[in-house]
Amino acid sequence: QVQLVESGGGLVQPGGSLRVSCVASGSIRSISIMGWYRQAPGKQRELVAIIIDSSGTTNYAESVKGRFAISRDNAKNTVYLQMSNLKAEDTAVYYCNAFGQGLTDPIWRNYWGQGTQVTVSS
């Protein structure tokens, strides 16, 4: 099994910054892509940012460009999302995602963490 655990969520004021982290563990064969999604109450889950580990290529949702930065540390199987200039509309549960393979599982799968709450409010 590949397991993802997020941390770092919390309450932050508008304009503030926060960094969330995600650690992948378990029987990992390879991970091609890691990313962050978010879901606000009553809304669909949306892609926030992804990073392709083999190349370092990143992609961001238009709404967070210039404010969020995704990075990874492959040695630690960890992906980060640095969030700056936070807005109320950034409030959501942030989920870590990894696209990869288990050691004994040849099928590429999407793995999900349980999520971490980020609340932007005064």
Side-chain angles (χ1 to χ4, degrees), residues 5-28:
V5 179
E6 304 99 331
S7 63
L11 176 64
V12 62
Q13 295 182 351
S17 299
L18 198 66
R19 188 180 75 165
V20 290
S21 304
C22 173
V23 179
S25 63
S27 56
I28 301 170

Side-chain angles (χ1 to χ4, degrees), residues 2 15 24-25 31-33 38 68 78 87 97 122:
V2 176
S25 63
I31 295 176
S32 176
I33 302 170
R38 67 186 182 187
F68 290 11
T78 301
K87 304 175 181 180
N97 170 262
S122 298

Side-chain angles (χ1 to χ4, degrees), residues 90-104:
D90 295 318
T91 296
V93 177
Y94 283 71
Y95 295 93
C96 180
N97 170 262
F99 185 62
Q101 297 173 296
L103 284 173
T104 60

Side-chain angles (χ1 to χ4, degrees), residues 37-82:
Y37 290 70
R38 67 186 182 187
Q39 187 168 23
K43 298 182 179 179
Q44 296 187 31
R45 187 173 300 186
E46 64 176 353
L47 175 67
V48 177
I50 60 170
I51 183 165
I52 302 174
D53 292 338
S54 61
S55 66
T57 301
T58 60
N59 196 22
Y60 298 90
E62 185 67 27
S63 60
V64 306
K65 286 182 178 179
R67 299 189 298 119
F68 290 11
I70 188 170
S71 61
R72 85 249 186 263
D73 184 340
N74 287 335
K76 298 180 180 179
N77 287 320
T78 301
V79 64
Y80 306 93
L81 185 69
Q82 178 66 51

